[in-house]
Amino acid sequence: VGNTLCPGILDHHHLVSYLGSTAALVLRHPEFLAVCGEYRPSSDSPRVTLVTHVEPDLDAVCSVYLATCWLTQGCFPPAAAALARYVDRVDMGCQGMSQQRPFALYSAYSVLLWRLASRKWRNDADKWTACIHQGAEIVDFVVTEANKRGVSILEVDAFDAPGQFGPDDRQRVTDDLVAYRAKLADPRTAAQSVRLSLPDPFGGRQTVDGLCVRDVQSPTDPAAVMFFKDWARSDCLRASADHGYVALSVFQSETSESHRRCWLSVRPDSGVTLSG
């Protein structure tokens, strides 16, 4: 599963009209997992190797998790549909977490990636394999808890996954939220609320809340914020109607080869679309 368009790669970009994650594609089309003709999970089944792209993201991990469930058990877990919807929203740039629910699956896997990346590895393959295996364990915990408690994926505290996280990991997310708030309060960022008039899918225009910040995360910034976009999307304290901001970050280099790069992301429920 990945972003390479070539034979043998299962990726949602193969279906141009399909808007969703690879995890949702696996769930909708388990026949793509079939090998050796009429393959079905059994004791004498052939060995199957699942391959992901390097630096596997949450979508890749969830795809592997769902594929593994089907290949080994012959079915998907009860909360598989909820998991696919959650990853769809993450892929579209919607909330994978929020200020109200900071310890969701998205932030847990991001912290896992950061922690594993800081270790020494013999090679990258070992590192990415660990990301997949440990990530799948976290996903399994979240899916099981969501099904058992009858709650959404977003409501499960993924940092409670057994043997995966310690107090320092949870504190990192808490500190990141504090850093976000400090970032907006720093006069050098010139953070300000804006109203953006953007095109909607039907030829009209829609006005949405935006947040404009200078030098949000420059390479030399000692107070970089890992989840800036996510905190901004869920910043109900500063946006109207308690919807959170569209995250608009403006980067300005201070080197002699200065250039400006704007980064705009829009919540799917804002009623507007961006292209190009």
Side-chain angles (χ1 to χ4, degrees):
V1 293
N3 298 321
T4 303
L5 295 179
C6 63
I9 301 296
L10 176 63
D11 182 78
H12 63 280
H13 294 100
H14 278 158
L15 301 179
V16 177
S17 62
Y18 177 78
L19 297 177
S21 61
T22 307
L25 183 60
V26 171
L27 185 64
R28 289 190 179 192
H29 300 284
E31 67 272 16
F32 289 172
L33 303 174
V35 295
C36 300
E38 295 299 316
Y39 167 74
R40 293 293 182 273
S42 65
S43 58
D44 59 349
S45 297
R47 184 178 181 87
V48 175
T49 300
L50 298 175
V51 180
T52 71
H53 55 72
V54 296
E55 301 187 34
D57 56 12
L58 181 61
D59 184 20
V61 171
C62 291
S63 302
V64 169
Y65 169 73
L66 292 174
T68 302
C69 289
W70 190 89
L71 290 169
T72 58
Q73 303 170 28
C75 63
F76 293 114
L83 177 65
R85 287 194 299 269
Y86 177 78
V87 180
D88 277 349
R89 290 173 64 80
V90 170
D91 268 16
M92 290 188 295
C94 196
Q95 290 180 11
M97 53 187 279
S98 69
Q99 294 193 47
Q100 291 70 36
R101 303 187 187 282
F103 304 114
L105 175 59
Y106 175 81
S107 58
Y109 185 66
S110 298
V111 170
L112 173 67
L113 286 180
W114 172 82
R115 193 179 65 208
L116 293 180
S118 63
R119 289 173 48 185
K120 290 185 178 180
W121 298 87
R122 291 187 306 168
N123 51 60
D124 284 343
D126 287 349
K127 177 171 61 175
W128 305 135
T129 298
C131 291
I132 290 290
H133 282 290
Q134 293 187 45
E137 290 178 0
I138 299 170
V139 172
D140 183 60
F141 167 79
V142 171
V143 169
T144 301
E145 283 294 302
N147 182 64
K148 181 171 61 178
R149 294 162 44 193
V151 299
S152 72
I153 297 293
L154 186 62
E155 293 179 81
V156 177
D157 189 331
F159 285 74
D160 284 338
Q164 292 287 351
F165 300 102
D168 290 346
D169 296 313
R170 192 180 291 272
Q171 189 62 46
R172 178 174 175 78
V173 177
T174 302
D175 291 344
D176 196 63
L177 179 54
V178 172
Y180 163 75
R181 291 167 177 162
K183 175 69 68 175
L184 296 189
D186 187 336
R188 292 173 298 176
T189 67
Q192 58 184 300
S193 302
V194 295
R195 295 287 284 169
L196 302 173
S197 178
L198 302 173
D200 64 30
F202 306 105
R205 300 189 74 80
Q206 180 82 13
T207 301
V208 297
D209 290 305
L211 179 63
C212 186
V213 184
R214 179 180 295 120
D215 287 331
V216 175
Q217 295 192 74
S218 65
T220 58
D221 186 356
V225 182
M226 177 189 295
F227 295 118
F228 181 86
K229 286 192 298 182
D230 303 279
W231 300 136
R233 289 192 187 103
S234 61
D235 196 339
C236 298
L237 297 177
R238 295 180 174 84
S240 63
D242 292 334
H243 288 313
Y245 278 115
V246 170
L248 173 62
S249 306
V250 182
F251 291 72
Q252 176 66 55
S253 172
E254 296 180 357
T255 65
S256 57
E257 301 175 357
S258 63
H259 65 279
R260 177 171 293 172
R261 179 166 63 90
C262 296
W263 168 30
L264 179 64
S265 57
V266 179
R267 298 190 327 275
D269 60 355
S270 64
V272 297
T273 57
L274 297 176
S275 61

